[in-house]
Amino acid sequence: MVTPQMRAAIDRLPHSMRRIAGYHLGWWDENGRRVQTGGGKSIRPALVLVAAEAAGGRATPAVGAAVAVELVHNFSLLHDDVMDRDLTRRHRPTAWTVFGVAEAILAGDLLLSLALDVIAASEHPGATQGARMLNAAVLNMIHGQSTDMSFEDRSDVALSECLSMIGRKTGALLGCACALGASFGGGTPDQVDHLRRFGEQVGIAFQLVDDLLGIWGDPARTGKPVYSDLYNHKKSAPIVAALSPSTPAGRELAELYRSDQPLSGDDLVRAAALVEVAGGRAWSEAQISDLVAQALRHLQSARPTDQAAAELTTLTRLIMRRDH
């Protein structure tokens, strides 16, 4: 349902930007030739469509909102790759390494603009409010990304700050996806609110899983190098949880992180081991379990239809079961 409208939207972009967006989305190579790649997981548009059904409506009227959410997500990925200097995404070179930094930034800007146009053009009665909801999520995402980047220059990041940052950077858009779906599906304000909270909790848990993959993920599955977050001195949640000076492992990890140079070789292996010994991995896994339980309680409180409830529950479990 979503992909044809995604392709139609991307086809409206100027040729040079269309080529970059299509490459980033995995539709074609750098020369515009069609290729077969895995592309993204489409979790966010799936949440929009099933949330519409959960609220008692149909998925079809929410397709425009689903496309808009996926465009916003990919806007953020294009910019994140530039800011984090990531070299690979989805098992191939990132757009900025192929087309240039400026071009990747501009392509991301266009995807954001296109997202708001798509939702406005849906002509749904809730389109205006939906555009405002989506814009609010973007503001939160940018705030979260800015906070995340500021952590790199600090040695005193608290776990509460880290979770708050994740709530904005990742939770906001997944929460918005569910709220948009519920709204476009004719849900009551109470349903929209509970489904938003469901999405936010799933989003935070999703990011914690992603943080674990950023340290221990299999490159064949993640499309990124092993230990990538440690190499970049990222202050992701499991690393912040492990950096406590109260343990020898935490103090040793902090010492490794004081270096101005990226970690490499044996230091990367040692840093990953220290995160685990200092409890960063166990803390993250416990948080993920708690967040999923909270999310499912909000889902139940939204009084969803039985089939949509089962699908959202299954999707949540699948998101959390990515190998790490």
Side-chain angles (χ1 to χ4, degrees):
M1 295 173 71
V2 172
T3 300
Q5 290 202 28
M6 276 283 290
R7 288 185 177 272
I10 295 298
D11 281 345
R12 290 159 44 199
L13 296 177
H15 174 71
S16 59
M17 294 292 104
R18 176 181 175 275
R19 188 161 60 104
I20 298 171
Y23 172 87
H24 168 76
L25 290 164
W27 297 347
W28 45 70
D29 66 16
E30 64 272 21
N31 298 310
R33 292 187 296 259
R34 192 177 298 275
V35 295
Q36 295 293 329
T37 69
K41 294 177 285 293
S42 299
I43 288 168
R44 291 155 188 83
L47 287 173
V48 174
L49 299 182
V50 184
E53 295 177 337
R58 296 183 302 113
T60 304
V63 171
V67 171
V69 168
E70 185 68 356
L71 288 169
V72 165
H73 173 54
N74 282 281
F75 136 76
S76 73
L77 296 182
L78 279 163
H79 284 198
D80 284 358
D81 285 343
V82 171
M83 287 182 278
D84 294 341
R85 313 302 288 180
D86 282 337
L87 302 179
T88 58
R89 178 173 293 281
R90 298 167 182 162
H91 309 284
R92 59 181 188 161
T94 45
W96 73 268
T97 68
V98 175
F99 301 99
V101 170
E103 290 80 1
I105 291 172
L106 289 172
D109 292 342
L110 274 179
L111 291 188
L112 175 57
S113 177
L114 186 60
L116 294 172
D117 184 65
V118 165
I119 202 167
S122 71
E123 299 183 351
H124 189 281
T128 300
Q129 180 62 23
R132 296 191 66 185
M133 291 165 65
L134 189 59
N135 193 57
V138 171
L139 292 175
N140 266 316
M141 290 168 64
I142 293 171
H143 184 185
Q145 175 68 4
S146 174
T147 303
D148 190 18
M149 293 176 66
S150 75
F151 288 172
E152 296 177 23
D153 299 321
R154 292 175 48 194
S155 59
D156 59 342
V157 179
L159 271 173
S160 58
E161 292 180 281
C162 201
L163 288 172
S164 177
M165 176 273 292
I166 293 172
R168 294 188 177 99
K169 182 178 176 179
T170 306
L173 189 58
L174 269 77
C176 179
C178 293
L180 273 174
S183 176
F184 276 51
T188 66
D190 188 59
Q191 286 179 307
V192 171
D193 182 58
H194 277 297
L195 284 166
R196 179 196 301 279
R197 292 174 183 272
F198 161 77
E200 287 171 347
Q201 299 303 303
V202 169
I204 298 170
F206 176 90
Q207 184 59 54
L208 290 176
V209 172
D210 214 49
D211 288 344
L212 293 175
L213 292 171
I215 302 174
W216 293 286
D218 178 359
R221 292 178 176 270
T222 66
K224 292 188 175 185
V226 68
Y227 307 139
S228 58
D229 282 358
L230 292 168
Y231 174 83
N232 291 315
H233 286 199
K234 293 279 289 184
K235 297 283 192 345
S236 64
I239 295 169
V240 171
L243 279 170
S244 169
S246 63
T247 66
R251 291 192 294 272
E252 186 179 344
L253 180 64
E255 186 64 31
L256 284 173
Y257 256 49
R258 288 190 189 100
S259 170
D260 293 333
Q261 300 301 315
L263 298 178
S264 60
D266 291 344
D267 283 343
L268 277 174
V269 177
R270 180 61 181 162
L274 290 169
V275 173
E276 184 149 16
V277 171
R281 187 170 190 164
W283 177 87
S284 298
E285 290 172 345
Q287 287 291 311
I288 290 165
S289 179
D290 288 346
L291 286 160
V292 168
Q294 291 175 41
L296 294 179
R297 285 195 290 272
H298 280 296
L299 176 60
Q300 184 177 13
S301 296
R303 305 181 309 282
T305 61
D306 290 344
Q307 181 175 337
E311 290 176 351
L312 287 171
T313 300
T314 299
L315 182 58
T316 300
R317 301 295 187 194
L318 287 172
I319 290 170
M320 304 310 152
R321 285 177 187 163
R322 291 177 296 159
D323 291 344
H324 61 270

